[in-house]
């Protein structure tokens, strides 16, 4: 990435890229080659922008709407913003015509071209956020997995494509890890999601554990709520275990990066368990020592299995 491109990415939308520090895992850690870090941050910037549009978390002032060719007042119309974002995204992949208008997509364009990325993962993220505007409850675990196929799995596939390591088996393992991370995030954010009138706990599981929506609005979790969270956390842990062999299938710094993703999920699950599976007072967050410890566990397992 040139100095000019790096400056444009850093200043594209104040606060958007800063949110990388709040993730459960390192997005583009220092030990990666500069080119990988730049590419990962370009993809993260896009993914964060899509989520911020879908969640209504854009910076005030309407700049994002202006960048996408809309009136500032339309910045509150999430579906219109997502449609405009898709139009701008398609400019990256078009062989002729205008370049993308939004600074974060301008920064993404060189990465897409250099790595020969396809539009499908990027479009999947937009479609997941469209779904968030229309579907606010999930009846079954299978429905939730289908949502994660759009909202989470494209990110892991992009990481593999960026690093030139994609294969059918690695994609399968990556999907398991990404779905697990999405479910873990949903467990951490039950209260925040409810405030947005969204529930990502499957309705049939809630019925099984005798949990009503009103129980999720309490200041702390009842025994039933905590049992439900523990059940979903176990499912997420199983998915992480299914995906962990991905770490042992790659080498060098990429192994450390993927171990960070898996270890971040494990550390978040540890934090949820340490809170007694009571996620309602606020999202249980892993500590840095816990994250490092879990990354070490993942790497040792990768060595044994390798």
């Amino acid at each position: 990435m040139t100095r000019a491109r790096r400056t444009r990415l850093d200043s594209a939308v104040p606060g958007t890229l800063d949110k990388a520090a709040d993730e459960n895992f390192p997005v583009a850690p220092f030990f990666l080659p500069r080119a990988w870090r730049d590419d990962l941050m370009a993809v993260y910037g896009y993914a964060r922008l899509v989520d911020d549009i879908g969640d209504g978390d854009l910076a005030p002032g309407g700049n994002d709407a202006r960048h996408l060719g809309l009136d500032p007042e339309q910045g509150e119309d999430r579906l219109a913003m997502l449609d405009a974002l898709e139009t701008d995204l398609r400019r990256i992949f078009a062989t002729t015509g205008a370049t993308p208008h939004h600074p974060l997509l301008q920064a993404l364009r060189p990465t897409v071209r250099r790595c020969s990325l396809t539009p499908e993962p990027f479009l999947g993220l937009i479609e997941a956020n469209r779904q968030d505007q229309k579907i606010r409850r999930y009846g079954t675990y299978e429905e939730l997995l289908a949502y994660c196929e759009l909202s989470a799995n494209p990110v892991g596939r992009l990481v593999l494509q960026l690093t030139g390591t994609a294969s059918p088996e690695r994609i399968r393992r990556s999907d398991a890890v990404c779905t697990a991370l999405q479910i873990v995030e949903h467990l951490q954010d039950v209260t925040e999601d409810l405030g947005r009138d969204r529930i990502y706990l499957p309705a049939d599981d809630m019925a099984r554990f005798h949990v009503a929506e009103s129980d999720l609005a309490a200041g702390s979790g009842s025994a039933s709520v905590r049992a439900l969270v523990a059940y979903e956390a176990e499912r997420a842990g199983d998915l992480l275990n299914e995906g962990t062999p991905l770490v042992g299938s790659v080498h060098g710094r990429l192994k450390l990066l993927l171990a960070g993703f898996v270890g971040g999920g494990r550390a978040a699950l540890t934090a949820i368990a340490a809170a007694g599976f009571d996620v309602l007072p606020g999202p249980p967050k892993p500590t840095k020592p816990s994250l490092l410890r879990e990354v070490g566990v993942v790497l040792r397992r990768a060595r044994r299995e390798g």
Side-chain angles (χ1 to χ4, degrees):
M1 179 183 282
T2 65
R3 179 180 178 84
R5 180 186 166 206
R6 194 157 52 241
T7 300
R8 185 168 66 247
L9 180 58
D10 291 342
S11 61
V13 180
T16 299
L17 297 178
D18 294 341
K19 296 178 183 180
D22 296 329
E23 304 292 349
N24 284 325
F25 48 84
V27 173
F30 70 92
F31 57 76
L32 293 178
R34 165 61 74 178
W36 280 13
R37 298 204 322 262
D38 291 344
D39 287 341
L40 286 168
M41 285 306 295
V43 168
Y44 175 80
Y46 169 81
R48 187 70 265 170
L49 175 62
V50 179
D51 282 350
D52 284 352
I53 291 174
D55 290 340
D57 284 342
L58 293 172
N63 284 335
D64 290 288
R66 290 190 188 94
H67 288 314
L68 294 174
L70 300 178
D71 292 332
E73 295 77 13
Q74 290 181 278
E76 301 296 323
D77 185 338
R78 299 179 192 181
L79 288 173
M81 287 285 289
L82 290 169
D83 288 345
L85 180 63
E86 179 176 339
T87 298
D88 209 30
L89 172 69
R90 291 189 182 278
R91 294 188 178 103
I92 294 179
F93 296 94
T95 55
T96 59
T99 58
H101 299 163
H102 197 289
L104 286 173
L105 271 69
Q106 292 170 7
L108 178 63
R109 189 171 185 257
T111 293
V112 167
R113 297 296 177 89
R114 184 172 55 255
C115 300
S116 300
L117 302 180
T118 59
E120 287 76 17
F122 300 101
L123 291 170
L125 296 176
I126 292 177
E127 191 57 37
N129 278 272
R130 284 197 183 106
Q131 188 167 312
D132 276 335
Q133 311 313 310
K134 304 170 185 177
I135 301 174
R136 299 182 177 274
R137 306 289 189 274
Y138 290 86
T140 67
Y141 183 63
E142 288 69 29
E143 291 176 7
L144 185 63
L145 293 182
Y147 169 74
C148 293
E149 177 71 17
L150 295 171
S151 67
N153 297 358
V155 176
R157 296 181 186 188
L158 284 168
V159 170
L160 294 178
Q161 291 174 18
L162 288 174
T163 56
T165 56
S167 71
E169 177 63 12
R170 285 178 178 147
I171 289 172
R172 185 179 73 82
R173 300 288 188 182
S174 171
D175 285 353
V177 170
C178 290
T179 292
L181 294 177
Q182 180 76 89
I183 291 173
V184 169
E185 183 176 318
H186 288 159
L187 295 179
Q188 290 175 306
D189 295 340
V190 169
T191 297
E192 179 182 339
D193 289 334
L194 186 64
R196 303 179 191 274
D197 191 28
R198 297 175 186 165
I199 297 177
Y200 295 100
L201 297 167
D204 59 358
D205 292 342
M206 290 176 63
R208 174 182 173 184
F209 286 90
H210 307 288
V211 173
E213 290 192 13
S214 59
D215 296 323
L216 302 180
S220 61
S222 64
S224 295
V225 169
R226 287 184 278 112
L228 170 61
V229 171
Y231 177 70
E232 304 299 350
E234 182 178 6
R235 277 177 155 173
D238 289 342
L239 283 170
L240 276 180
N241 289 335
E242 179 183 341
T244 297
L246 172 67
V247 178
S249 75
V250 299
H251 305 282
R253 298 178 186 182
L254 180 58
K255 184 189 292 287
L256 288 176
L257 176 66
L258 298 182
F261 293 164
V262 176
R266 288 173 55 97
L269 286 174
T270 297
I272 291 171
F277 301 101
D278 186 4
V279 297
L280 300 189
K285 292 290 187 179
T287 63
K288 187 173 182 179
S290 173
L291 173 60
L292 293 175
R293 185 165 53 250
E294 294 294 352
V295 169
V297 169
V298 171
L299 289 172
R300 288 193 294 273
R301 175 176 169 180
R303 283 197 295 268
R304 288 198 307 270
E305 295 177 349

